[in-house]
Amino acid sequence: MTHELYDAIVIGGSAAGLSSAQALGRSLRRTLVIDAAQPRNRFAHQMHNVLGLDGTPPRELVARGRAEAEAYGVEFREATVHAVRNIDAPGAGSAAAAAADPATPGALLELELDGGETVRARGIVLATGVTDELPAIPGLAERWGTSVLHCPYCHGWEVRGQRLAVITTSPMGLHQAKLIRQWSDDVTVFTAGLVDESGASVLDAETERALRSRGVQLVAEPVVEAIGDGPQLTAVRTADGREYPLDAAFTAGTLRPHDGLVAHLDLARTDTIVGSFLEVDMMQRTSHPRIWAAGNVTNPMATVPASMAAGVMAGAAVNAILVDEDFALAAAEIAQ
C-alpha cells in the first residue's frame, strides 16, 4: 500500500496553523494543512489587538492566510485527524509501528483521517486549538462572541462604559472581575462561581471590600438564565427570580484542548491554573521528537498575534530539524 508522504503536516488551519504552514512553504517543504474548519474565534465578528489588522473578521484572516500559504505550494484538506502513530523509517526492518523509534533518521508519523484514510509526514505541527465549554446557563452560548465575552483585551473597548457583568465560574473570576472594572464603572459580579475544589468561597473580606470600594456590585445568587433580543444580551436572571439589566457579560468556560489525537503517545504535559496542556520548549517542540504544538492547544491564553508567532516558530523549527535529518540521511547513504 502506498501512502502520500509530506515533509510536514499541520493539523489546524487558523492563525497558528497557517503561520506554521507559511513558514514551511517558504522553506520549500511539501506541506499539508488538515483542517476541520472549526476555529475557536469563529464566534467573534472582529479581531482586536492584532497590529495592522485591528477589526478584521477572523474568517477574513483565515482566507488571506490560506491564499498566502497556497502561493507557496501548501496543500489543504478539510478533514479530521483521529490518531497519530509512529512509523519505522522505510527499509528499517519489520518492527511493528508501535515499536518504531521516532528519533531514528527517516522515521515517519502516520495520521489516520476520516474513513480510515492515512497520510504520512516527517514532522507535524498541532494547531488544533481548544473548545470553550461554557457554563450550562440557558441563553449564554447563543450570545457567545457577541455580547457574552471572555477577554477584555479582545472586546473590552467595544463595550466600554456600558452595563457589564462577570459571571464567575472559578477562582479565576476574581481576576476577570478586577480587569473588567477598567472598561466600565458599572460592573456587577455574580460571585457564585468563586469557590475552590472543596466548595469553599475564595472571596475573602479584604477582596470584597476592594471590589466594593471601586463601585463593583456583588451578587451571591447564581445566574440561571441569560436574557436578550437575538444576539444582544439585555439582562440575566438569578436563582431568586431577580433580573439584572445588562449590555454585556464576561465569563470563562472550561478549556478543552483538542489533543486527544496524540493522547496515546503520552506526551509531557504542564498543569496550569486553567487545566492540563501539552508541554513545549522554546521552539514549540513537544516531548515527541517529531511533533510540535502551537497556539491555544498548548497556550490557552494566547491571542491571535501570540498564536501566529508560535506558529511561525514551530514551522521554522520543523524545517531546521528536517534540514539536519536530510544531511544525516545523505551521509549515511554515502557511507553504505
Side-chain angles (χ1 to χ4, degrees):
M1 180 184 295
T2 60
H3 299 266
E4 275 202 272
L5 176 61
Y6 293 86
D7 288 320
I9 293 179
V10 179
I11 309 173
S14 193
L18 290 172
S19 297
S20 289
Q22 189 176 92
L24 286 158
R26 286 179 55 83
S27 300
L28 307 180
R29 293 295 178 185
R30 189 183 184 210
T31 304
L32 172 67
V33 175
I34 301 175
D35 183 36
Q38 295 291 309
R40 181 187 185 187
N41 64 356
R42 65 189 182 278
F43 301 100
H45 298 295
Q46 296 179 329
M47 305 178 304
H48 298 286
N49 277 331
V50 185
L51 187 64
L53 294 170
D54 189 64
T56 301
R59 292 191 183 277
E60 183 177 328
L61 176 70
V62 169
R64 290 187 193 180
R66 179 166 177 157
E68 290 173 357
E70 286 177 331
Y72 295 116
V74 174
E75 300 174 37
F76 286 82
R77 184 175 304 180
E78 185 171 328
T80 299
V81 178
H82 298 282
V84 176
R85 294 184 287 267
N86 296 319
I87 299 294
D88 273 332
S94 58
D101 180 0
T104 303
L108 303 173
L109 293 168
E110 184 173 85
L111 285 67
E112 180 182 337
L113 311 183
D114 307 303
E117 180 187 359
T118 59
V119 291
R120 292 180 176 182
R122 298 169 65 189
I124 69 172
V125 177
L126 289 177
T128 45
V130 299
T131 291
D132 297 275
E133 192 174 279
L134 296 178
I137 298 173
L140 211 62
E142 296 90 325
R143 299 175 176 90
W144 182 242
T146 303
S147 54
V148 176
L149 312 163
H150 77 290
C151 173
Y153 295 105
C154 301
H155 305 290
W157 170 266
E158 284 65 41
V159 295
R160 66 194 185 282
Q162 298 181 30
R163 298 170 299 177
L164 307 182
V166 176
I167 302 172
T168 62
T169 58
S170 75
M172 279 292 292
L174 277 178
H175 175 65
Q176 199 174 39
K178 292 178 180 178
L179 277 181
I180 300 307
R181 178 60 181 81
Q182 176 61 24
W183 279 267
S184 178
D185 58 8
D186 188 345
V187 177
T188 302
V189 177
F190 295 90
T191 64
L194 297 178
V195 293
D196 60 22
E197 293 180 355
S198 69
S201 174
V202 299
L203 181 60
D204 57 71
E206 182 178 354
T207 303
E208 182 174 344
R209 282 195 301 271
L211 289 169
R212 292 189 187 280
S213 72
R214 296 212 63 202
V216 175
Q217 181 182 6
L218 304 178
V219 177
E221 287 288 328
V223 174
V224 296
E225 185 180 4
I227 303 167
D229 182 12
Q232 180 56 53
L233 183 71
T234 58
V236 296
R237 181 179 294 116
T238 51
D240 58 2
R242 184 175 175 182
E243 292 187 8
Y244 294 82
L246 296 170
D247 298 304
F250 287 80
T251 192
T254 301
L255 298 176
R256 306 294 187 192
H258 300 160
D259 55 21
L261 69 168
V262 295
H264 59 288
L265 297 176
D266 294 325
L267 305 186
R269 305 185 73 85
T270 298
D271 290 328
T272 75
I273 57 176
V274 291
S276 174
F277 291 83
L278 291 172
E279 181 179 303
V280 295
D281 64 16
M282 291 181 64
M283 300 300 290
Q284 304 300 133
R285 199 180 199 179
T286 70
S287 58
H288 190 292
R290 294 184 181 273
I291 300 177
W292 286 255
N296 290 153
V297 71
T298 185
N299 181 1
M301 302 303 185
T303 58
V304 170
S307 295
M308 292 167 70
V312 171
M313 186 68 73
V318 173
N319 178 64
I321 293 300
L322 294 185
V323 165
D324 286 342
E325 185 173 77
D326 289 338
F327 276 96
L329 291 171
E333 185 175 346
I334 292 175
Q336 290 179 352

